[in-house]
Amino acid sequence: MAKYVDDYLTIALPKGKLFSLSANLFERVGVTAEHLSEKSRKLIISNDECKVRFIITKTSDVPTYVEYGAADIGVIGKDVLVESGQDVYELLDLGFGKCRLMMAVPREERRSRLLDYAHTRVATKYPHIAEQFFAQQGMQMEYIKLNGSIELGPLVGLSESIVDIVETGTTLVENDLEEIAHIMDVSARLIVNRVSFKLKFDRIYRIVNDLKQVLEGGEVR
């Protein structure tokens, strides 16, 4: 089993919006496998000739697979990476999946200063990032963890504000919410297991350089 793991480079790809862009990017540098698809029923898809295998997993699990060495490489959004706090190397900004993490409140209940929201409730699926942000502002908040439809928080009286990712802002407008604070910019990142980066350095370094050339050529959208 150890020989199999050593021979193969294992890449964790997230289901959802980042999957096709990630898979296409790796294919451009010759790292792919037959029938690599987000809808595949196979948990591991391998290319025995190239000694590469792909794990297709839930987005939030990618950093865990990489930190513990079940995957050598992974693609993950910066928001998920920071929130997870996993101990991995972040090697490359892949430039796609761009959005931003922000704080928003109901438009009619906007207050004059950010500090005016201190000691109120925040609905978010990013409690760790939110806590760090508000601590930097000198604000204590109550955090309510939600996993979906974060915009509902203020609408049903669960919270006074939200911290969530925004791509176009359309959902905020449709729900009469207004962005009041920018927390961080988000895009897809290439992460690597720390031990793998040493033991498989040459192969990983070559892939990273190839990816950089593709990205610099502006071929990925």
Side-chain angles (χ1 to χ4, degrees):
M1 181 65 181
K3 184 177 184 299
Y4 176 78
V5 173
D6 287 343
D7 284 349
Y8 279 69
L9 189 71
T10 304
I11 301 172
L13 297 184
K15 295 180 179 179
K17 293 181 179 180
L18 298 182
F19 177 83
S20 60
L21 289 169
S22 302
N24 290 341
L25 179 58
F26 278 108
E27 184 176 8
R28 287 178 180 272
V29 298
V31 180
T32 188
E34 190 174 2
H35 305 306
L36 178 60
S37 168
E38 183 180 3
K39 297 180 181 179
S40 173
R41 292 182 180 272
K42 296 183 66 176
L43 300 178
I44 299 175
I45 302 174
S46 301
N47 182 331
D48 295 332
E49 182 179 352
C50 296
K51 299 295 184 182
V52 63
R53 60 179 181 174
F54 291 89
I55 299 174
I56 305 171
T57 182
K58 185 177 179 180
T59 301
S60 59
D61 290 337
V62 170
T64 301
Y65 278 105
V66 175
E67 178 181 9
Y68 290 96
D72 302 301
I73 294 174
V75 174
I76 194 63
K78 180 69 172 180
D79 55 328
V80 178
L81 177 60
V82 175
E83 180 65 21
S84 73
Q86 304 293 160
D87 186 19
V88 298
Y89 286 134
E90 179 187 329
L91 294 188
L92 196 59
D93 183 346
L94 300 177
F96 55 79
K98 290 185 177 180
C99 52
R100 62 187 183 279
L101 192 64
M102 54 84 231
M103 176 187 182
V105 300
R107 185 175 295 107
E108 293 183 355
E109 298 177 21
R110 178 166 184 165
R111 304 176 185 180
S112 59
R113 301 179 307 155
L114 184 62
L115 285 172
D116 291 337
Y117 294 95
H119 304 290
T120 61
R121 293 170 297 178
V122 183
T124 182
K125 61 180 176 180
Y126 304 101
H128 296 112
I129 295 177
E131 184 176 14
Q132 183 179 33
F133 170 75
F134 288 115
Q136 291 171 347
Q137 315 305 316
M139 300 168 63
Q140 290 187 342
M141 309 289 281
E142 181 181 350
Y143 303 97
I144 300 176
K145 176 71 181 294
L146 295 178
N147 294 309
S149 300
I150 310 299
E151 297 84 4
L152 266 177
L155 302 182
V156 298
L158 182 65
S159 67
E160 283 72 35
S161 64
I162 66 171
V163 166
D164 199 14
I165 55 172
V166 170
E167 189 172 355
T168 65
T170 301
T171 304
L172 292 181
V173 173
E174 291 178 347
N175 289 283
D176 295 319
L177 296 172
E178 183 175 347
E179 180 177 346
I180 64 169
H182 177 274
I183 296 176
M184 65 183 292
D185 291 319
V186 174
S187 59
R189 308 300 169 99
L190 184 76
I191 60 174
V192 178
N193 174 269
R194 290 181 176 272
V195 175
S196 297
F197 191 60
K198 295 178 181 178
L199 298 181
K200 304 178 182 181
F201 177 82
D202 289 343
R203 190 173 184 190
I204 292 174
Y205 184 75
R206 184 168 61 251
I207 290 174
V208 170
N209 275 345
D210 290 345
L211 292 174
K212 283 182 179 178
Q213 290 182 16
V214 172
L215 294 171
E216 288 170 359
E219 301 175 45
V220 180
R221 297 290 183 270

